[in-house]
């Protein structure tokens, strides 16, 4: 599948119109429901195939952010053989009490994986948590960057480089 064919399939399956409140607090008249493309195995496989070459050289761990980044990171892990961790928005209050589940990431070169990024607010918060336990993070990959500004100022401010598979203008 070509990248253009993939963009069309994602758009056809996941693009919704109406009035939607985004995580950033912004109101939008269009929305990409990432769960609609993440729930389709063939489409998720194609996304992973197209994203795999975007993973920075030397990446040791992929960090999938709750909740939509987790299936993307898992698919990328299966495609590349790079292990992944699953990152909660907050540490659980029972069991291991961790916010990054799966393996130790201290002193590892970690690439953050997200599904859709508008302003990068959750990426900034989760990256700070991961860095606080010793992860080395400079790159973020996402399927769709839907924000109006690129590169994202919030991400640049904290030393993160965002690489989207698609920008809003690709659709």
């Amino acid at each position: 599948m070509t990248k253009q064919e993939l963009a069309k399939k994602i758009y056809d399956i996941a693009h919704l119109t109406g009035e939607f409140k985004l995580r950033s607090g912004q109101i939008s008249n269009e929305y990409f429901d990432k769960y609609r493309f993440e729930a389709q195995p063939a489409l998720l496989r194609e996304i992973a195939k197209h994203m795999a070459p975007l993973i920075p050289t030397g990446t040791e761990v992929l960090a999938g952010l709750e909740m939509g980044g987790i299936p993307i990171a898992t698919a990328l892990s299966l495609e590349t053989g790079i292990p992944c961790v699953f990152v909660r928005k907050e540490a659980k209050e029972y069991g291991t009490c961790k916010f990054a589940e799966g393996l130790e990431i201290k002193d590892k070169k970690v690439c953050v994986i997200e599904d859709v990024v508008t302003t990068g607010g959750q990426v900034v918060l989760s990256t700070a948590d991961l860095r606080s336990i010793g992860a080395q993070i400079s790159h973020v990959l996402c399927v769709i960057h839907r924000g109006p500004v690129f590169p994202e100022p919030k991400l640049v401010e904290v030393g993160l480089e965002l690489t989207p598979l698609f920008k809003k203008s690709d659709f």
Side-chain angles (χ1 to χ4, degrees):
M1 181 181 302
T2 68
K3 188 174 176 185
Q4 293 77 18
E5 291 168 334
L6 180 57
K8 181 172 180 357
K9 284 197 178 279
I10 289 172
Y11 186 87
D12 290 347
I13 289 172
H15 184 257
L16 306 175
T17 57
E19 186 172 303
F20 305 94
K21 183 175 182 180
L22 307 177
R23 186 209 168 276
S24 64
Q26 297 174 9
I27 302 297
S28 177
N29 62 357
E30 64 178 343
Y31 185 73
F32 284 94
D33 185 348
K34 64 255 183 182
Y35 302 115
R36 289 183 173 204
F37 64 75
E38 292 175 344
Q40 302 293 323
L43 193 52
L44 188 56
R45 184 178 302 111
E46 284 297 322
I47 289 168
K49 285 180 183 178
H50 284 271
M51 286 183 74
L54 304 178
I55 298 171
T57 302
T59 295
E60 298 174 279
V61 179
L62 304 170
L65 302 189
E66 181 186 337
M67 181 165 129
I70 290 174
I72 304 296
T74 302
L76 281 168
S77 181
L78 288 167
E79 180 69 22
T80 64
I82 299 170
C84 63
V85 296
F86 310 114
V87 182
R88 299 174 185 276
K89 290 181 182 165
E90 7 180 291
K92 63 182 183 175
E93 296 180 8
Y94 57 91
T96 60
C97 300
K98 292 181 178 181
F99 59 83
E101 301 280 1
L103 57 116
E104 182 64 43
I105 59 172
K106 183 178 181 183
D107 299 325
K108 301 276 189 202
K109 186 175 177 185
V110 176
C111 180
V112 171
I113 308 297
E114 185 61 298
D115 48 16
V116 178
V117 172
T118 302
T119 64
Q122 187 58 52
V123 172
V124 169
L125 294 173
S126 293
T127 296
D129 288 341
L130 294 168
R131 285 174 171 167
S132 77
I133 58 172
Q136 300 170 11
I137 304 171
S138 59
H139 288 84
V140 178
L141 300 183
C142 69
V143 179
I144 301 170
H145 175 257
R146 70 175 311 273
V149 179
F150 190 84
E152 267 315 319
K154 283 183 185 178
L155 299 181
V156 172
E157 189 175 298
V158 296
L160 293 172
E161 180 181 330
L162 175 66
T163 304
L165 179 59
F166 298 108
K167 294 180 185 172
K168 187 176 174 182
S169 60
D170 293 325
F171 299 101

